[in-house]
Amino acid sequence: MVTRARVVLLISILLVSLAGLSSAQSKPGRPCDARPEHRQFDFWIGEWDVTVKGQAAGTNSIQLILDKCVLQENWTGSKGGVGKSFNFFNAATNRWQQTWVDNSGGVLEFSGEFRDGAMRFQGETPNKGGGKTLNRMTFTPLPDEKVRQLIENSKDDGKTWSVSFDGLYSRRKSAGDGAK
């Protein structure tokens, strides 16, 4: 025998189930898959050995995280420094952003765009004694699974620039890449 309490319970369960189904169907898919701008920096994803002027500078592991919305950098320098950055396309500003932090307390903030075949960032950092340093950073994909990262700084408001890092990223070969 079906009691009124059971009918109310069954209707309640049905309504909750339908509400959950409706809510799940109305949620957007992966928003970072919807715009091609979010994929502009994917050439940097992977495991890398990094050299400067032919000398080992470190290793870098770049992973796509948070539903393909963020590239997370995991840097290990050959002299012991480590750092991380988070890189993402900010749809509100239509610009890429990078936030870098390291084990010496360093923090760098950049914004930029993919232009002329390269990811180009700019930023500035305050100097301890006043003033600021302008920073620009360019990632250029190269043939043969390589990427060049060039970092330049200016202490005279952009009149002159000096190179602080000119690294060549070489993609690591995995065991399944035909290594013999």
Side-chain angles (χ1 to χ4, degrees):
M1 183 164 131
V2 177
T3 66
R4 180 181 168 121
R6 284 188 175 176
V7 170
V8 170
L9 178 62
L10 288 173
I11 290 173
S12 298
I13 291 171
L14 179 61
L15 289 174
V16 168
S17 297
L18 288 175
L21 180 61
S22 173
S23 171
Q25 289 174 343
S26 67
K27 287 183 183 176
R30 294 180 176 204
C32 299
D33 281 343
R35 295 182 64 183
E37 293 89 348
H38 289 275
R39 305 282 54 92
Q40 292 173 326
F41 207 8
D42 283 2
F43 66 85
W44 197 34
I45 297 169
E47 304 299 317
W48 303 93
D49 292 312
V50 184
T51 58
V52 173
K53 296 182 182 179
Q55 300 297 313
T59 60
N60 218 344
S61 175
I62 314 303
Q63 296 141 2
L64 192 56
I65 63 171
L66 299 177
D67 285 336
K68 299 183 180 180
C69 290
V70 177
L71 275 74
Q72 178 182 348
E73 173 184 14
N74 301 284
W75 168 258
T76 302
S78 59
K79 296 180 181 173
V82 294
K84 294 187 180 298
S85 74
F86 296 90
N87 305 265
F88 57 95
F89 183 78
N90 184 333
T93 62
N94 262 349
R95 303 212 21 105
W96 276 87
Q97 287 182 231
Q98 183 187 90
T99 300
W100 162 267
V101 293
D102 64 34
N103 66 331
S104 69
V107 176
L108 296 171
E109 296 280 345
F110 292 93
S111 70
E113 63 184 333
F114 187 81
R115 178 175 38 86
D116 300 327
M119 184 60 70
R120 301 172 187 281
F121 287 103
Q122 296 178 358
E124 61 182 57
T125 51
N127 297 332
K128 288 182 182 176
K132 64 184 175 187
T133 298
L134 300 180
N135 306 298
R136 61 186 181 194
M137 180 171 55
T138 306
F139 293 86
T140 307
L142 302 172
D144 300 323
E145 298 287 316
K146 296 187 185 307
V147 172
R148 179 185 185 203
Q149 180 185 18
L150 177 65
I151 303 175
E152 301 168 287
N153 311 107
S154 174
K155 295 185 187 272
D156 58 9
D157 214 24
K159 293 179 187 132
T160 60
W161 292 87
S162 60
V163 173
S164 63
F165 184 82
D166 191 355
L168 181 65
Y169 283 65
S170 298
R171 191 177 300 277
R172 284 194 188 151
K173 302 283 186 212
S174 67
D177 287 344
K180 297 182 180 170

